[in-house]
Amino acid sequence: EIQMTQSPSTLSASVGDRVTITCRASQSIGSWLAWYQQKPGKAPNLLLYKVSSLATGVPSRFSGSGSGTEFTLTITSLQPDDFATYYCQQYNTYSTFGGGTKVEI
Amino acid sequence: QITLKESGPTLVKPTQTLTLTCTFSGFSLSTTGVGVDWIRQPPRKAPEWLALIYWDDDKRYSPSLKSRLTITKDTSKNQVVLTMTNMDPVDTATYYCARRLKGLFDYWGQGALVTVSA
């Protein structure tokens, strides 16, 4: 079973900051990596897929990079609506989520 | 417009079997490439993938929970049912169903909180 490890688990930031979240897979997943944003009481929402492709309606301040086992999500110029929890997901083999990164003020 | 909605008991007792139904609209589970998954999320924890059923009735389960899970579909009713046996308090979570397309969960239900307690 593929394990996904995210870091950091919590990130304190301010509006306008550049934020980077890291996700590591326990084995190579190629480019089958997605990122989701979740706000309290809501289901996760797809942000990026295949490492760096933006889902419909997602602002361009979100970007992704990486391949194999190391991946990053970057948010340039953090906006108030971006304070949330972010999860990576591998979909190379069924699905596994990372432990999450809470971006807080 | 694509929607999914989970339904089932909010409270189950330990050792009981949980049955959850996902009723969806706006897509067909007979369309090639489409799947419906169940994912759960314990309070303040990360989502955990549980099971998947594809348009062709191919089924996949989380290896760690495989012995307790069964997923079925009723294409005519636009429903997917998940059963989980031998429930335990650690299974307390919000249970989501989601549409899978090309491996991604592009539409999710609102979630159903299930509490396991005597």
Side-chain angles (χ1 to χ4, degrees):
Chain A
E1 192 172 351
I2 299 174
Q3 307 298 321
M4 305 298 291
T5 304
Q6 276 182 248
S7 61
S9 56
T10 306
L11 191 159
S12 295
S14 302
V15 173
D17 283 354
R18 178 185 177 96
V19 165
T20 299
I21 299 168
T22 298
C23 180
R24 287 192 177 89
S26 60
Q27 64 189 74
S28 178
I29 58 171
S31 297
W32 305 112
L33 191 283
W35 290 95
Y36 294 80
Q37 178 193 68
Q38 187 177 32
K39 295 185 177 178
K42 301 292 187 181
N45 183 52
L46 180 64
L47 287 179
L48 295 106
Y49 61 95
K50 214 166 183 184
V51 177
S52 59
S53 296
L54 288 172
T56 304
V58 174
S60 59
R61 63 180 179 273
F62 291 91
S63 64
S65 63
S67 66
T69 60
E70 296 260 347
F71 305 89
T72 59
L73 170 69
T74 299
I75 312 171
T76 57
S77 190
L78 200 66
Q79 298 301 300
D81 192 50
D82 301 337
F83 290 94
T85 301
Y86 295 84
Y87 295 99
C88 61
Q89 175 223 357
Q90 68 82 15
Y91 55 105
N92 178 72
T93 306
Y94 311 140
S95 181
T96 315
F97 290 87
T101 297
K102 183 177 182 181
V103 177
E104 60 183 22
I105 299 174
Chain B
Q1 182 190 3
I2 292 174
T3 63
L4 302 96
K5 187 172 184 180
E6 306 85 355
S7 59
T10 57
L11 178 66
V12 297
K13 290 180 168 44
T15 75
Q16 286 187 336
T17 293
L18 171 68
T19 299
L20 291 170
T21 300
C22 175
T23 303
F24 57 88
S25 63
F27 69 96
S28 173
L29 199 40
S30 58
T31 300
T32 299
V34 174
V36 171
D37 292 58
W38 284 95
I39 301 139
R40 70 178 179 181
Q41 187 171 27
R44 296 172 296 283
K45 292 189 177 181
E48 177 186 19
W49 176 75
L50 299 177
L52 151 68
I53 190 164
Y54 281 113
W55 83 100
D56 60 358
D57 209 38
D58 190 16
K59 302 168 188 177
R60 297 286 185 261
Y61 297 100
S62 165
S64 60
L65 292 167
K66 185 174 182 177
S67 64
R68 298 174 54 203
L69 296 173
T70 303
I71 190 169
T72 60
K73 66 180 175 70
D74 186 329
T75 305
S76 64
K77 292 183 178 179
N78 282 351
Q79 290 182 333
V80 171
V81 175
L82 180 77
T83 61
M84 179 180 287
T85 60
N86 195 25
M87 293 293 284
D88 183 272
V90 299
D91 296 314
T92 293
T94 297
Y95 287 74
Y96 295 99
C97 61
R99 186 181 83 155
R100 175 186 288 250
L101 190 62
K102 298 181 181 179
L104 300 165
F105 306 129
D106 58 352
Y107 291 91
W108 296 62
Q110 63 190 25
L113 176 61
V114 178
T115 301
V116 185
S117 175

